[in-house]
Amino acid sequence: MDNKYKILVTNDDGYEAKGLHELVEALHELENVEVTVVAPATEKSACGHSLTLTKPLRFVAVKENFFKLDDGTPTDCVYLSLSTIFQEKKPDLLVSGINRGSNMGEDITYSGTAAGAMEGVLHNVPSIAISQVMDFTNPNGDFSLARKIIKKVVNKIRNDDFPLKERQFLNINIPPEKVDAAMKITYAGYRVYSNDAQMHQNPRGEKHYWLGLHPLNFRAREGKNGVSDYEAIRDGYVSITPIMLDLTAYESMKRLQKWLD
C-alpha cells in the first residue's frame, strides 16, 4: 500500500521558474514524499483567484509527475488537479510557490501564488503559499533560506497536523539576503499603493502602457496587536501569516444596519 506523503505543487511564475524548481528539489529532500507539479505554462503573476471558463484547458507532461497547464492560472492548476490526478484521493498538502517577490498585505488579493493556496483550502486540502522577497535587479535570487523554511514547516505539519481551521492557509514570506532567520507569526500589513503606469509610444504614434513595480510601502493597522508581515520582513524575520477566505467586515455589520435603518 502506498503510504507516501503526497504534495501538490503549483505557482504563478510559470513551470520554468527557478523558485518552483527550488521548491520541488527541497521537497524531494524530505523522506517518503511524492511530489506532483501542475503549474501554468506561462507566467500568471497578479492573476488573483481567477478561473478559466471561456476555453478548454490541457495538461502537458513535462516529465514524470510534472505537468504544465496550457494557458492555465494557478487556480485552474489546483482545481483540475483535484478533479483528475487526485480524483480518488486528495493530496496531503498543497504548496504554492516559491514566488519571486513578496506577497504581503493587500497584495495577497492580487497574488496568483496565494490564489493557489486559496483553491486548495476551498477543497479541504491543507495549503501553504510561500514567497521570497527579493531585489528584482537580481535575475535569479537566492532561495536557500526559503528551502530550509519550507522543509521545516512541512515536517511540522506532517508530525503535528495542520494548525489552522478550514478555509485558512499559511502565507509565508522569506526575508532577502538571509542565511537563517527566526519565524514570526504576523498579520497582513496595510499596503500603501501608488500609481506607476509608464507610457511608451511605438513608431506609428500609438501609445501603450507598462504597469510598474510599486515600492514596498506599508503603514501600521490601527488597533492591531502583534507585528505585520512587512515589519517582520523589514526586521529580518520569516513572516508566517494565517489567512482566511472569509472577507466579511464583521465589525461594520452593526454600523451598516444602523445606516440602513
Side-chain angles (χ1 to χ4, degrees):
M1 186 175 179
D2 184 4
N3 63 348
K4 288 187 176 180
Y5 190 78
K6 293 178 170 54
I7 304 175
L8 173 60
V9 169
T10 193
N11 77 340
D12 73 354
D13 289 327
Y15 79 103
E16 295 179 303
K18 181 182 178 185
L20 175 73
H21 291 272
E22 294 270 5
L23 171 61
V24 172
E25 289 176 8
L27 294 176
H28 277 139
E29 293 171 3
L30 301 175
E31 292 184 3
N32 201 36
V33 300
E34 181 177 286
V35 180
T36 301
V37 180
V38 182
T42 57
E43 183 176 349
K44 294 291 182 179
S45 295
C47 69
H49 196 191
S50 58
L51 191 67
T52 301
L53 302 175
T54 56
K55 57 187 176 183
L57 298 164
R58 183 171 67 99
F59 287 108
V60 179
V62 178
K63 55 185 178 181
E64 185 178 4
N65 289 337
F66 194 124
F67 304 89
K68 61 180 179 179
L69 194 62
D70 198 15
D71 203 29
T73 67
T75 302
D76 292 327
C77 292
V78 176
Y79 184 97
L80 282 180
S81 297
L82 298 179
S83 301
T84 55
I85 300 170
F86 295 97
Q87 184 177 14
E88 295 185 4
K89 188 178 185 300
K90 293 177 182 177
D92 297 295
L93 182 70
L94 180 146
V95 185
S96 183
I98 302 167
N99 187 66
R100 182 172 177 263
S102 65
N103 277 305
M104 302 185 290
E106 290 87 355
D107 279 356
I108 295 167
T109 64
Y110 290 109
S111 169
T113 303
M118 289 179 190
E119 191 64 22
V121 296
L122 280 177
H123 298 274
N124 296 315
V125 177
S127 299
I128 302 168
I130 180 167
S131 303
Q132 173 65 61
V133 184
M134 63 173 56
D135 179 359
F136 278 90
T137 60
N138 182 343
N140 295 313
D142 182 6
F143 294 90
S144 56
L145 177 56
R147 291 176 62 136
K148 292 179 185 177
I149 293 298
I150 196 60
K151 289 192 292 184
K152 185 173 183 177
V153 171
V154 170
N155 273 331
K156 181 71 173 173
I157 292 170
R158 290 178 73 178
N159 294 331
D160 297 337
D161 209 354
F162 194 64
L164 304 181
K165 297 179 180 179
E166 64 177 4
R167 302 202 177 199
Q168 297 181 3
F169 67 92
L170 294 174
N171 186 48
I172 302 176
N173 281 274
I174 307 297
E177 301 176 356
K178 297 280 286 185
V179 176
D180 202 2
M183 293 182 279
K184 184 161 286 194
I185 305 304
T186 60
Y187 65 83
Y190 194 107
R191 181 74 186 271
V192 179
Y193 290 96
S194 60
N195 290 323
D196 184 16
Q198 300 178 13
M199 191 274 288
H200 297 265
Q201 187 169 303
N202 68 19
R204 296 183 179 181
E206 297 169 329
K207 296 179 181 178
H208 59 273
Y209 295 86
W210 279 100
L211 300 186
L213 291 172
H214 302 289
L216 287 177
N217 292 329
F218 285 79
R219 64 179 174 85
R221 291 188 186 272
E222 296 180 2
K224 297 293 183 183
N225 295 320
V227 176
S228 72
D229 45 14
Y230 172 75
E231 291 171 307
I233 291 297
R234 179 199 64 193
D235 296 338
Y237 292 96
V238 173
S239 165
I240 304 184
T241 309
I243 300 295
M244 64 180 183
L245 272 60
D246 184 353
L247 301 180
T248 307
Y250 289 100
E251 69 277 7
S252 296
M253 291 176 67
K254 290 183 179 179
R255 183 187 307 166
L256 180 57
Q257 186 64 57
K258 185 177 179 179
W259 177 78
L260 284 174
D261 294 341

